[in-house]
Amino acid sequence: MKIAETERLALRELTLHDSAALEAVFCDAEVMRFSDGVRTPEGVREWVGDMVADRYPSWGFGMWAVLEKRTDQMIGYCGLSQFPDRAGTELGFRLARQYWGRGFATEAATAARDHGLVTIQLPRIVALIDPANLAAVRVVEKIGMRYDRDIMLPAYTHPDSVFVVERPTKD
């Protein structure tokens, strides 16, 4: 199912066939540097399977495939997750390394933010980012998210920064 379209990108629900393309994201140590580490191809298939079988049906949203429209290539993922033990509905994004530095992350994050705030009518969206991940910090700041506070998650050795954007209220 198509979620959003921008000038250069399309966001759609993942399918089980997307696992191989996402290995360029999840199996790359540099891409996964600010996360819980590299996944195996089997781990990628499990992640995609959980999104398709559980997250979309139970939440009505999740992480979505990001495709470059010009080539129809999947270049990564972007979307929304729920973590009740964290700070709320969370924006997340990762792109394969060869697509870094072209503004794709900002474009995809903007589309996911707008889908969450406007289409789904979420009251707020957060992003939890390792403060050393300066590229991700720049992306969320460009899309209007503001620093809120630091949060220490279980098993982390340092806090993440919490960025927030809220749905505008009507006057």
Side-chain angles (χ1 to χ4, degrees):
M1 178 169 84
K2 186 169 128 182
I3 302 301
E5 196 168 318
T6 69
E7 181 181 333
R8 301 180 298 163
L9 304 174
L11 276 63
R12 64 158 170 77
E13 287 187 353
L14 292 164
T15 71
L16 297 177
H17 300 295
D18 293 325
S19 298
L22 283 174
E23 288 177 20
V25 174
F26 284 111
C27 299
D28 183 324
E30 182 63 18
V31 174
M32 299 301 288
R33 182 171 56 152
F34 296 107
S35 72
D36 54 358
V38 173
R39 292 181 191 238
T40 63
E42 180 180 290
V44 176
R45 284 190 300 278
E46 288 174 12
W47 184 86
V48 172
D50 286 346
M51 200 62 58
V52 171
D54 182 49
R55 304 311 189 275
Y56 296 152
S58 63
W59 297 345
F61 56 83
M63 291 297 161
W64 303 302
V66 177
L67 295 103
E68 183 182 19
K69 290 184 340 187
R70 184 179 57 80
T71 62
D72 203 35
Q73 281 289 124
M74 178 189 271
I75 65 171
Y77 71 84
C78 181
L80 304 168
S81 295
Q82 292 193 89
F83 296 100
D85 58 330
R86 294 188 187 180
T89 303
E90 184 177 334
L91 172 71
F93 50 90
R94 283 206 175 82
L95 301 180
R97 196 176 346 167
Q98 66 263 35
Y99 298 100
W100 291 3
R102 300 188 208 175
F104 289 137
T106 302
E107 201 169 319
T110 299
R113 177 206 63 198
D114 291 350
H115 186 78
L117 296 177
V118 177
T119 305
I120 301 173
Q121 293 285 302
L122 296 169
R124 89 187 215 138
I125 297 172
V126 301
L128 278 65
I129 300 176
D130 184 316
N133 189 347
L134 299 179
V137 169
R138 280 193 301 276
V139 167
V140 298
E141 288 177 339
K142 283 181 193 175
I143 70 165
M145 299 183 89
R146 61 174 170 68
Y147 171 81
D148 185 59
R149 67 185 190 282
D150 287 339
I151 186 172
M152 189 68 173
L153 298 172
Y156 274 42
T157 59
H158 61 279
D160 271 356
S161 297
V162 178
F163 291 83
V164 177
V165 63
E166 296 177 341
R167 187 175 68 230
T169 57
K170 296 179 182 176
D171 291 335

